[in-house]
Amino acid sequence: MKAEPDRKWWKESVVYQIYPRSFKDSNGDGIGDLKGITEKLDYLQDLGVDVIWLSPVYQSPNDDNGYDISDYQSIMEEFGTMEDFDEMLAQAHSKGLKIVMDLVVNHTSDEHPWFVESRKSKDNPYRDYYIWREGKDGREPNNWGSCFSGSAWMYDGQTQMYYLHLFSQKQPDLNWDNETVRNEVFTMMNWWIDKGIDGFRMDVISLISKPAEFVDGKAGVEGYASFSDAANGPHVHEYLQEMRQKVLNRADTLTVGECSGVTLEEAKKYARSDEKELNMVFQFEHMDVDADEGNKWTDKKMDLRDMKEVLTRWQKGLEGVAWNSLFWENHDQPRSVSRYGSDSREYQEVSAKMLATCLHLMQGTPYIYQGQELGMTNVPFGGIEDFRDLESINAYRELTEQGVYTQEEMLKYLRYKSRDNARTPFQWDDSENAGFTEGTPWIMVNPNYKWINAKDQIARKDSVFSYYKELIRLRKSHEIIVYGSYDLLLPEDPDLYVYTRTLGSEKMLVICNFSENTRDFTLPGWCQDSANIVKLIGNYGDAGIDGSMRIRAYEAVALLCKI
Ligand code: GLC
Ligand code: CA
C-alpha cells in the first residue's frame, strides 16, 4: 500500500510575488506603494493565487531597493504608512489572500540604529551585533568579494577595523552567533506574526551562520574569491530550529528560505517534512545552467538537457522527504520568456504559456513573479543610465574598468541578465506609462506595454493571463498536480521536456517544446487508449490527441490518463 500524501495547504497553494516599487503607484510620485497593492487585490483574486509574497516594505535608505533595512517595524515612507499596511492586510485576508513578508536578517542597513551604535567604539554594547575583524598585513581579513563587486570587507576609520558585508557596503552582516541578535530578530518576527501575517520568505537565509575562521578562497577574475564557504554554515540548522520553536510554531505559517549555494543534501535539512525548520527552499542551480562557468554576465543560451538534469535531480531528490519551490522568475532574474522562451511577437504568448505549463505541473509550490502571468519580457534598455540596480551598475563599472568586457559587451549582457529586466513597472494597460503611474516612473517602462498589458489579457480568453488562471484552477481540482510523483522521459532530447506525474490509478503526461522546431512524438503505451485520456490543458487551442503527435513550436500539452 502506498502511503497517503502528506497534505498541507502551502503545498496546494500558488504564491504571487509583488515587488512593491514597480507594482502600482497610487499617488503619482512614480513609485509603487501599499495603497496601489490594495487597489489591485481584486486582480490577484481573479487570477486565483492564494498567497502574496511582498518584497521588503520596511524603512530603508534603498541602497538595494529595500533589502537594506533600517527599521524592521516601520514602513518605508515612499510606500505609505503602517495604517496602509494594516488596511492592505485586512483587505487581503477578507479576499482569502495570505500575506508572506520578506525577512531580510542576514544583514541590516548601515543606517540601522544597531549598526550606527556598533561602529562607534570597540566596547559599544552593540559592537558584537555585527562581524568586525582586524586587517591582515594591512589588508582585508580575507579575500572574499561582495556579491555586488569589490571586497566583502569595509574598513571603518573610527575603530580601525573591518566589518563584513557579503552584499553592499551599506548592508553589514549581522552576527548570528550572538544570542542577543537572534533574540532581537525573533522578537521582531513575533511582532509581525502577532499582526496576523502568514509567513516569511527568508532572504539569503543559508548565509547567516558564518564559518569560525575567515580563510582565503580561490580568487576569480576580479581578484576576489566567492564567499560560497559562508553558505550552509556550521550553525545554520540549529538557528533555524531555534526560530521554529521561538517564532514559527506560534502560527500556521508558510516559510520559504532563499538558499544561495544550497545542495540537495542541505535542502533536505532546511525543508524537512517534519517541519523542524522551513517548509521549502529556493534553490538556484537551474538559474545557473546558462551561466558561463559560474559567470552570470554572458548571453549564452541554456542547453535544455542541463535544465532537465538539474530540475529532475531536485524533483526526485526531495520527493517524500522535503518540498520544492518552483520558479522561473523573481526580482533578481531576467524575464523567463526572453531567457528560455521567445519574446518575438510570433512566439511570446505561446512560449510564456509553455513555460508556465512546464513549471506549474511539476511537484512543488509554484511562484509567479508579477508580470510573468502576462508574459512580460526583458527590456530594451539604452545606456547604463537606464539601469537602477546596484549590482548591474557596479558590475558594469568594475568589469569595464578592468578591461574584462568592453562597454558594448557589458551593456549587451546587462540587457539580457540584469535584475532590472524584472523591475520595470507592471503593465496594467496601454495608456501612458502602462497605467502604472500618473507621474514619472522611477525606472523606464517597457515600451511593449502597448501590446503586452493586463487590461487586454484579462478580456481575452486565449491570453497568457487566462492560461495561468486555468493552470491554477486545475491545481485546485486535480490532486495529482500537487501530490503525484515525478518522472522524466527523454532525458537526451534537446527540444522537448517530457515528464509524467503519477498518483494512484492516474498518470499525467506533460509535453513541452522549448524550441521552434516541429517534432513528432509518439505517446507511451500506457497513454494510447483514447477512451481513457483527457486533455487537461494545451497552448495551441486546436491540438487534438493522437497516438502519434506533432508538437509545434513552443507547444505544451498535458494529458491525464487512467492506468
Ligand atoms: C537576496 C535578494 C536580493 C538582494 C540580496 C541582498 O538575494 O533577493 O534582491 O539584493 O538578497 O539582500
Ligand atoms: Ca507612490
Side-chain angles (χ1 to χ4, degrees):
M1 269 277 291
K2 274 223 122 178
E4 273 291 288
D6 182 17
R7 293 191 174 78
K8 300 280 181 218
W9 65 267
W10 42 263
K11 295 181 179 173
E12 296 168 9
S13 297
V14 175
V15 184
Y16 187 93
Q17 181 189 354
I18 291 184
Y19 196 68
R21 205 171 191 77
S22 305
F23 193 58
K24 176 74 179 116
D25 175 23
S26 71
N27 63 351
D29 67 354
I31 297 172
D33 44 52
L34 295 176
K35 282 206 164 102
I37 297 173
T38 307
E39 257 175 55
K40 294 296 183 184
L41 291 172
D42 286 341
Y43 168 81
L44 298 178
Q45 194 180 27
D46 180 29
L47 178 58
V49 298
D50 308 277
V51 180
I52 297 168
W53 149 25
L54 265 193
S55 273
V57 295
Y58 317 93
Q59 188 177 299
S60 160
N62 277 313
D63 186 49
D64 186 17
N65 284 357
Y67 283 89
D68 48 320
I69 296 167
S70 52
D71 183 348
Y72 290 101
Q73 278 156 255
S74 60
I75 299 294
M76 189 190 303
E77 266 165 49
E78 291 169 327
F79 289 175
T81 62
M82 195 56 85
E83 287 68 49
D84 296 339
F85 180 88
D86 293 340
E87 174 67 14
M88 180 200 67
L89 183 65
Q91 294 253 358
H93 282 168
S94 76
K95 294 177 197 296
L97 294 162
K98 295 182 190 287
I99 301 275
V100 161
M101 301 294 282
D102 214 314
L103 180 79
V104 188
V105 290
N106 173 69
H107 43 267
T108 68
S109 162
D110 64 341
E111 297 181 35
H112 192 290
W114 298 339
F115 191 75
V116 172
E117 284 302 312
S118 184
R119 78 190 326 173
K120 280 184 181 161
S121 69
K122 292 184 183 172
D123 54 9
N124 187 285
Y126 289 90
R127 184 67 170 182
D128 195 41
Y129 271 44
Y130 294 86
I131 301 172
W132 293 95
R133 290 289 183 278
E134 300 286 352
K136 222 174 67 190
D137 312 323
R139 294 207 47 164
E140 293 88 9
N142 78 355
N143 69 351
W144 285 2
S146 127
C147 212
F148 298 147
S149 304
S151 168
W153 297 94
M154 177 73 184
Y155 183 71
D156 198 61
Q158 189 132 344
T159 53
Q160 302 179 354
M161 283 176 78
Y162 291 83
Y163 66 85
L164 180 70
H165 62 90
L166 297 182
F167 296 90
S168 95
Q169 291 166 10
K170 288 184 66 63
Q171 292 167 301
D173 281 56
L174 281 166
N175 176 16
W176 273 72
D177 294 333
N178 180 341
E179 197 189 341
T180 317
V181 168
R182 298 201 298 280
N183 285 331
E184 292 260 25
V185 170
F186 299 154
T187 305
M188 174 274 284
M189 291 174 76
N190 275 323
W191 186 84
W192 282 101
I193 297 263
D194 291 341
K195 244 185 191 304
I197 61 124
D198 304 287
F200 297 99
R201 173 269 184 184
M202 303 186 186
D203 193 64
V204 290
I205 202 73
S206 53
L207 300 178
I208 58 174
S209 168
K210 307 299 190 279
E213 306 275 338
F214 290 98
V215 292
D216 280 349
K218 189 169 161 282
V221 269
E222 307 94 353
Y224 295 106
S226 118
F227 55 74
S228 52
D229 286 352
N232 317 307
H235 303 291
V236 66
H237 297 291
E238 222 175 282
Y239 296 158
L240 288 176
Q241 286 169 34
E242 187 181 346
M243 181 191 284
R244 168 62 60 187
Q245 284 156 20
K246 293 190 175 165
V247 182
L248 303 173
N249 278 346
R250 296 182 54 243
D252 187 11
T253 50
L254 179 155
T255 49
V256 52
E258 189 206 19
C259 291
S260 3
V262 70
T263 58
L264 193 55
E265 287 317 303
E266 284 296 325
K268 289 182 193 167
K269 300 183 209 160
Y270 287 113
R272 42 198 278 179
S273 49
D274 62 4
E275 292 188 71
K276 290 270 187 307
E277 296 186 19
L278 308 176
N279 298 143
M280 52 190 135
V281 298
F282 291 125
Q283 59 85 19
F284 291 92
E285 275 188 61
H286 68 305
M287 293 285 116
D288 288 337
V289 296
D290 59 357
D292 191 7
E293 289 174 11
N295 174 24
K296 153 176 186 172
W297 303 118
T298 163
D299 56 2
K300 200 185 116 187
K301 282 276 181 185
M302 69 141 167
D303 182 325
L304 182 66
R305 287 165 289 202
D306 298 335
M307 180 61 90
K308 292 194 283 191
E309 187 277 317
V310 169
L311 289 176
T312 300
R313 189 152 37 77
W314 281 87
Q315 288 284 302
K316 293 311 285 178
L318 297 194
E319 212 163 85
V321 290
W323 193 249
N324 278 296
S325 329
L326 305 171
F327 72 98
W328 291 132
E329 289 185 23
N330 61 39
H331 64 294
D332 294 328
Q333 301 293 336
R335 291 295 186 172
S336 58
V337 70
S338 301
R339 190 178 185 183
Y340 307 130
S342 165
D343 56 16
S344 68
R345 269 309 255 272
E346 191 175 4
Y347 293 128
Q348 176 260 343
E349 289 218 338
V350 77
S351 70
K353 293 174 189 171
M354 182 279 290
L355 288 166
T357 315
C358 184
L359 196 77
H360 281 241
L361 300 183
M362 282 188 205
Q363 192 182 75
T365 300
Y367 286 70
I368 302 171
Y369 177 69
Q370 65 181 46
Q372 189 179 349
E373 77 281 18
L374 308 177
M376 274 179 65
T377 69
N378 274 357
V379 182
F381 291 111
I384 191 66
E385 67 286 349
D386 282 346
F387 291 87
R388 296 286 176 276
D389 168 32
L390 89 168
E391 181 197 42
S392 303
I393 295 168
N394 289 356
Y396 176 85
R397 202 189 47 230
E398 183 166 274
L399 295 169
T400 57
E401 276 171 10
Q402 291 180 355
V404 178
Y405 298 120
T406 64
Q407 294 183 348
E408 271 320 302
E409 280 169 335
M410 199 55 206
L411 283 172
K412 182 172 71 178
Y413 300 147
L414 289 179
R415 285 184 204 115
Y416 191 50
K417 284 285 190 65
S418 168
R419 309 197 291 182
D420 278 339
N421 283 299
R423 298 179 179 186
T424 58
F426 189 94
Q427 294 165 206
W428 290 105
D429 57 40
D430 64 0
S431 69
E432 203 181 348
N433 294 321
F436 163 71
T437 180
E438 315 234 293
T440 309
W442 69 278
I443 185 171
M444 71 180 270
V445 177
N446 192 327
N448 66 17
Y449 70 88
K450 294 272 180 210
W451 59 279
I452 301 178
N453 65 68
K455 185 168 176 228
D456 163 65
Q457 295 205 17
I458 293 166
R460 222 164 16 90
K461 284 245 166 332
D462 64 348
S463 66
V464 182
F465 177 84
S466 299
Y467 194 89
Y468 266 89
K469 266 178 89 161
E470 180 61 10
L471 275 173
I472 296 169
R473 197 190 62 77
L474 285 171
R475 184 178 187 81
K476 308 289 173 198
S477 48
H478 293 275
E479 269 212 318
I480 189 170
I481 296 177
V482 182
Y483 296 112
S485 59
Y486 164 102
D487 287 288
L488 180 71
L489 305 183
L490 308 181
E492 293 307 326
D493 193 295
D495 299 333
L496 300 182
Y497 194 148
V498 185
Y499 62 88
T500 62
R501 303 286 305 281
T502 310
L503 187 72
S505 62
E506 284 186 337
K507 228 173 161 72
M508 180 168 68
L509 179 67
V510 183
I511 310 163
C512 296
N513 188 352
F514 275 71
S515 80
E516 290 181 16
N517 309 327
T518 298
R519 296 284 312 269
D520 289 324
F521 178 79
T522 309
L523 291 179
W526 49 263
C527 194
Q528 286 277 358
D529 176 6
S530 57
N532 285 325
I533 309 177
V534 185
K535 181 173 142 193
L536 282 181
I537 193 165
N539 63 352
Y540 276 74
D542 61 336
I545 310 165
D546 211 334
S548 142
M549 294 177 68
R550 204 123 261 220
I551 309 291
R552 289 158 286 183
Y554 298 109
E555 182 159 3
V557 57
L559 307 176
L560 189 64
C561 316
K562 286 258 176 288
I563 47 172

